[in-house]
Amino acid sequence: MTFTLLQSPDSIHRHSSFTKFWISRTLSSTSFQMLSVAIGWQMYDLTHDAFSLGFVGLAQFVPMVLLTLVVGHVADRFDRRKIVFLCQIIEAAIAVLLLLGNLAGWLGRDQILVAAAIIGACRAFEGPSSSALLPQLVPKAILQQAIAWSTSAGQTAQILGPSLGGLLFSVGPAFVYVTAAIALLVAGILTFLIQMERITRKLEPLSMSSIFSGMVFIYRRPIILGTISLDLFAVLLGGATALMPIFAQDILHAGPWALGVMRTAPAVGALVMSIVLAYFPLKKAFGSTLFGALFVFGLATMLFALSTNLLISLVALVFIGASDVVSVVIRSSLVQLQTPDEMRGRVNAVNSLFVGTSNQLGEFESGMLAGFMGAVPAAFIGGVGTIAVAGLWMYLFPSLRRLRSLTEK
């Protein structure tokens, strides 16, 4: 892929570095999706225990919560490129260990949980460091486009990773771990080769105040606080996609193939929209566009809840993915542009925690609500809730609603 959109008077090596960054992020995210599929399947194959399967997800999620303040501080004090490189190499090493455990026959429940926890810890460091690194690779004028391309990397991984992981696992677990290890190694090499101008940051002395300064920074800036918290609560209530297995089997009366297509549909919509935004970036009325995207997200979720036709459900899921990306690109661009470089690691760490929490808890909320009142009412209420949160945030954060420039304070 040639990033011809990155046309500016800036030096060519920055464009080349962004290309390396994009490929590295795509390979790393795809490998993570592949490993998640393989680890989950192998855990259940070994234990036939649903609780053990749940612990795999918990092992990956807990490090992100526990390490949030630490990873942000690390990303602001050290070379972010080297942090991402080190995380990718450690993840590759874990894939190799999983491979050896399979071949030697010593891989069991405890070893899988340890591997999942280490991968989760690496992702906890890699995510905020990678997000904070991006503004160093491109000029501010095209940061929104770069974020759109970066978002497309994640969506590409969500489409390719699970399907590729499942396909390779059907041949043999070793094939998944070998492929993931090679991809992560290549990702690490590309990250190491990224060239960028060295930025001298004003480092605060390590203290409790500096560790919590990211949260204080966000709290004191209503636009950033409104942006980050909006994702948490809006996505928390709109997690209807977690109920896809129920809709595929009981509502749409379709087979596993339909579930696979349904899981792919939001990522396809997101990928298409991220490419559109990369070539046709938003120029004005960012606030109204942000809230408009959330209204579309809520309405699409309600349509998905009420649909009894697979085609209509797929269209709704595509709109869910596409509208979510509009929101993501605006929010990410806003946070990056309004945060000084010496604070980006800590602010992105908090942002990553909010995003991860909203996705995880959103699935939990949807599942619990569906258990009490059924999948259709739960999904529909989730869509209504997203619209209600968007309306409430328009009232609570008027500066965000009236936002016309990503650099407004």
Side-chain angles (χ1 to χ4, degrees), residues 210-259:
S210 67
I211 289 175
F212 283 95
S213 58
M215 290 185 172
V216 174
F217 179 88
I218 292 170
Y219 178 75
R220 290 178 176 174
R221 286 155 180 81
I223 285 182
I224 297 182
L225 176 62
T227 299
I228 293 178
S229 59
L230 180 61
D231 176 79
L232 173 62
F233 291 102
V235 177
L236 176 65
L237 294 173
T241 52
L243 305 177
M244 283 185 190
I246 300 176
F247 277 88
Q249 185 171 352
D250 299 337
I251 309 299
L252 302 174
H253 305 291
W257 65 271
L259 176 60

Side-chain angles (χ1 to χ4, degrees), residues 41 69 91 111 116 144 149 201 230 235 262 336:
W41 188 284
L69 298 177
E91 290 171 46
Q111 289 78 15
Q144 183 194 152
W149 276 119
R201 303 189 189 101
L230 180 61
V235 177
M262 289 167 65
Q336 299 285 32

Side-chain angles (χ1 to χ4, degrees), residues 9 46 48 62 131 200 252 254 289 301 352 354 386-387 407:
L46 288 170
H48 297 286
V62 167
S131 297
T200 302
L252 302 174
T289 302
T301 301
S352 295
F354 274 47
T386 297
I387 293 175
T407 56

